[in-house]
Each structure stands twice: as structure tokens, then as C-alpha cells.
Amino acid sequence: MMRKFMEKMKYFDFYLFIPYIVLCCIGAVMVYSASSINLSYAGAATNTYLTKQLIYVVMGVGCVIFSMMVPTRKLANRNFIIISFFVMMILLLYAKFFTTAINGANGWINLKLFSFQPTELCKLYLVLFMAQITLNHENSQTYVANRTNWRPLVLVFILLALVLIEPDLGGFSINAFIAIVMYFGNGKNYRKALIKLLGILGLIIVSVQLMRFWDPLKGTKFEYMYGRLAAFYDPFKVSSTSGQQLINSYYAISNGGLFGVGLGNSVQKRGYLPEPYTDFIIAIISEELGAIGVMVVILLIVWLVLRIFLIGIRSNKPYETTICYGVGTFMAIETLFNIGAVNGLLPITGVTFPFVSYGGSSMIVLSLALGIVMNISISQKKSRRV
């Protein structure tokens, strides 16, 4: 095993690993900055979340190495995909019916060290599952664009439905986007696929705008979810309720300006912005490090995503190409959802910023995904040397 590891390290892709580890380090620093003041108010150790985040980073690096060592042919194994599907079902059902609700949703399984979200693992599973569909069509000399076999999509709909009933709108949206982009993006006719993707996006935008005039969740226990849409439409109309978080995010961004007020000097993290170390950590980065600090973080994640897509483009194996496109889409969509929510361009869905926001589930799953891409990159470098 050690010999195999050392062999892979000869072809290690530092262009992939360095931005990843820099993002993790920035995340750890900002998690401490965003959480320490409120922990001190509560009389707790100010480094509580920093310590946990550093543990998650170490676990994440371990996950990169682990998935880097797993041959891609094992991930493409039909039995692995089928067994993983039932494992995902069990995890999602357990999270829904046998756990305590947090913020109105049953989506977390308490593992003592951290609360694990099966929805996060589902994102990576869907990438592998959709890549498997591509492999099957390749082997049968047909294409996904023909969509002659709809049965695998039923399994995707089952997983999406289980995510939605938690309820986890953010997780559902990202999982759905991953499945849709990978499904339509793997045919011969890319222009036709793009038109269909834009059509689906347009339908979503129209639906969201129509809900300005109709609250389908009124009178139900999920009415709080519509409150997020109300905050998206006009946060100042609901400034004392669902709009408060977004308004405080605006204040943080405005206060930071171009260069920020300095690391540790944020005002909004002092009880105004709820849990600022999670999905609104970009607002704190903006306030403390300014627009320049935010741009550095965004450039790092953009570099990472583009590098992943480049590895996919260079691959001569459609299965590996599809995985790279799926992982790149996964990270890109999470980034867009997070930044969009912080700036009020999208509804708040609780989506974290990759590798920067506090959390173990996201760090582990994204690191596993990155390790798979790293393995593909290493294989490419080895084949070019032969």
C-alpha cells in the first residue's frame, strides 16, 4: 500500500491540492474569527469551533488520500452502485424518521464528533450514479441524450424525494441540479442540451416569481420555508423575522468595503448575524477582509473548478470525464448558491461555501470527491509518461 501511495505521489496534482488546502486554511481562520466572540459571551472556550474545523480539515485530507487510492473501476462497479443506492436510502430514511429536527429539518445523524448529513453524501453518489449511466450507454454504443432507458432516473427521483421530505430545499436543489446537468450534458448534441437546461432554469425562475403572489405552504408546519422566499423578494418588509439574516449580511458587506475592517473586527458576528461561521461566512470575510478578501476566496474556488473541468476535458475515458464534470458542477453550484444567498441574488437555502464554511459533512464529502478527481489526474500524468 505504501509503495502504491509513493508511486502516486510522483504524479500528484499540486495545482489541484494547493488551492484546496489554502481554502481549508482560510476557512479555519475565518471560522475562529466568526465564532470566537459569541463563544466567549456564552462562557465557552473560544477555540471550540476552530478545533473541530481543524479536525475536519485533517479528516478531509485523509479522505482525499483515501479516494485517491481507490481505482476508478471499483467506483464504476455495478454492484457498488446498487449497494450504495440502498445505503443512501437507509441513511436518508434514518435521518428523516429517527433523528431530532434541527431548524425544522430532520437531516442530521449525530456521530458524536460531528453531525453527518446524508444529503451531502447523496451529492457525490449522484455524480457517480450519473457517470455509471454514461458508462452503460457507452458500452451499449448508445448515448444518454437518446434517453431510451428511463429506469435509472426513477432511482434518482427516489433519492431526490427523500431529500425533499426532510425537508432540505437547499440539498434538494443542488442534488437536482447535479442530476439534471449531468443527464443533459452527456449527449452528442450539446446545443440541444444547453437549450433544455436554460428552459428548466427559466421555468424555475418563473415559478419562484409567481410565488410572490401565492404561499403554497401557508398554514402548514413548513411555512417558515416560504419566509425565506419572502426575504428574497424584499428582506426589509420582513426585517424583524425571515429578512433579518439577509439584512445583516448586507450590513456586513457594506461595512467591509474594499479592504475590510480588519481580521477579528466584524460587528455583525457579535450576535447580529446568526451562526456566521456556517453558510454566511462569506459575509464575515467581506466585512473583515473586504471585497479583495472575498475575491481571493472566489478566485481559489474558480481555479479549483476550472482545473477539475480541465482534467475532465483531457481524459479520453467518457466515464472519468463525466465524473470530473459532475464534481466540478457540484462545487460550482454550491458556490453560486452560497454567494447568491449572501448577496440576496438567490433565496437562502442553508448551502455552505465549499471548504471554507464550518462543517464536517461538507468537508468530508467534497474532499472525497476531490480525491477521485486527483486519482484521475494522476492516471493521466502516468499515461503521458509511458
Side-chain angles (χ1 to χ4, degrees):
M1 179 63 75
M2 182 57 68
R3 184 177 175 182
K4 184 180 177 182
F5 173 74
M6 295 306 296
E7 179 67 23
K8 282 184 177 287
M9 286 303 296
K10 292 179 183 178
Y11 307 97
F12 196 74
D13 192 341
F14 287 99
Y15 291 109
L16 202 61
F17 186 75
I18 290 174
Y20 158 72
I21 207 69
V22 172
L23 282 168
C24 290
C25 291
I26 291 173
V29 171
M30 293 312 302
V31 164
Y32 177 72
S33 177
S35 64
S36 58
I37 189 68
N38 288 326
L39 286 170
S40 68
Y41 291 160
T46 57
N47 64 346
T48 300
Y49 289 116
L50 170 63
T51 303
K52 289 183 178 180
Q53 186 70 2
L54 289 174
I55 292 172
Y56 300 153
V57 170
V58 172
M59 291 172 66
V61 173
C63 287
V64 170
I65 295 170
F66 170 76
S67 56
M68 181 186 79
M69 300 298 292
V70 178
T72 52
R73 67 177 183 276
K74 290 189 177 181
L75 300 176
N77 183 277
R78 184 180 176 86
N79 291 332
F80 170 77
I81 294 295
I82 293 172
I83 292 170
S84 297
F85 172 78
F86 287 107
V87 170
M88 279 308 315
M89 275 191 64
I90 292 168
L91 288 173
L92 289 168
L93 287 168
Y94 181 85
K96 170 60 182 175
F97 297 106
F98 300 100
T99 61
T100 304
I102 301 175
N103 296 328
N106 295 81
W108 290 264
I109 299 173
N110 188 358
L111 299 180
K112 302 301 181 184
L113 181 60
F114 65 97
S115 293
F116 176 70
Q117 283 184 280
T119 301
E120 292 293 327
L121 186 60
C122 188
K123 297 169 187 175
L124 177 56
Y125 175 75
L126 282 178
V127 170
L128 297 177
F129 183 82
M130 298 306 292
Q132 174 69 21
I133 292 176
T134 302
L135 182 63
N136 290 341
H137 280 272
E138 178 198 358
N139 291 340
S140 61
Q141 295 183 336
T142 61
Y143 290 89
V144 176
N146 294 331
R147 289 174 294 281
T148 53
N149 186 2
W150 52 267
R151 285 175 295 179
L153 299 183
V154 174
L155 304 182
V156 174
F157 290 137
I158 289 172
L159 292 180
L160 291 177
L162 290 175
V163 172
L164 187 60
I165 64 172
E166 288 186 353
D168 184 353
L169 188 59
F172 169 80
S173 301
I174 291 177
N175 277 290
F177 265 101
I178 290 170
I180 291 169
V181 170
M182 292 187 70
Y183 183 64
F184 286 120
N186 284 311
K188 277 184 172 180
N189 195 333
Y190 290 103
R191 184 178 178 182
K192 190 176 179 181
L194 181 60
I195 291 171
K196 289 184 177 181
L197 287 171
L198 291 174
I200 292 170
L201 185 61
L203 184 63
I204 293 170
I205 292 171
V206 170
S207 301
V208 169
Q209 292 303 319
L210 285 175
M211 277 193 271
R212 283 177 179 268
F213 314 103
W214 174 55
D215 180 0
L217 301 175
K218 191 172 183 178
T220 70
K221 65 178 181 178
F222 304 118
E223 192 170 358
Y224 72 93
M225 294 177 71
Y226 184 81
R228 294 180 176 180
L229 277 178
F232 166 65
Y233 298 138
D234 189 349
F236 293 96
K237 276 189 177 180
V238 286
S239 58
S240 61
T241 54
S242 57
Q244 185 179 18
Q245 192 173 23
L246 183 55
I247 290 171
N248 284 319
S249 177
Y250 287 159
Y251 291 155
I253 294 168
S254 175
N255 193 32
L258 187 61
F259 298 104
V261 296
L263 186 63
N265 295 327
S266 167
V267 174
Q268 294 304 312
K269 70 183 181 183
R270 300 170 187 268
Y272 298 103
L273 194 60
E275 298 182 351
Y277 46 88
T278 55
D279 45 315
F280 273 77
I281 197 166
I282 287 294
I284 303 303
I285 294 175
S286 181
E287 186 176 11
E288 295 190 347
L289 304 180
I292 290 178
V294 174
M295 284 305 300
V296 169
V297 172
I298 291 174
L299 285 172
L300 284 167
I301 196 71
V302 167
W303 174 281
L304 200 57
V305 170
L306 291 178
R307 180 68 184 175
I308 291 169
F309 279 126
L310 179 62
I311 292 167
I313 292 168
R314 285 177 174 173
S315 177
N316 56 6
K317 299 178 182 178
Y319 174 75
E320 293 182 352
T321 297
T322 307
I323 285 181
C324 290
Y325 289 170
V327 172
T329 300
F330 173 9
M331 292 184 186
I333 291 174
E334 283 215 338
T335 302
L336 290 172
F337 269 56
N338 180 271
I339 293 176
V342 169
N343 287 281
L345 299 175
L346 292 172
I348 296 171
T349 53
V351 175
T352 57
F353 194 97
F355 308 116
V356 176
S357 294
Y358 172 80
S361 298
S362 177
M363 179 67 74
I364 287 171
V365 172
L366 285 166
S367 297
L368 284 170
L370 193 72
I372 295 170
V373 177
M374 179 70 77
N375 190 23
I376 294 171
S377 177
I378 288 170
S379 298
Q380 289 177 7
K381 288 185 176 182
K382 285 177 71 176
S383 64
R384 288 199 295 267
R385 291 286 183 90
V386 174

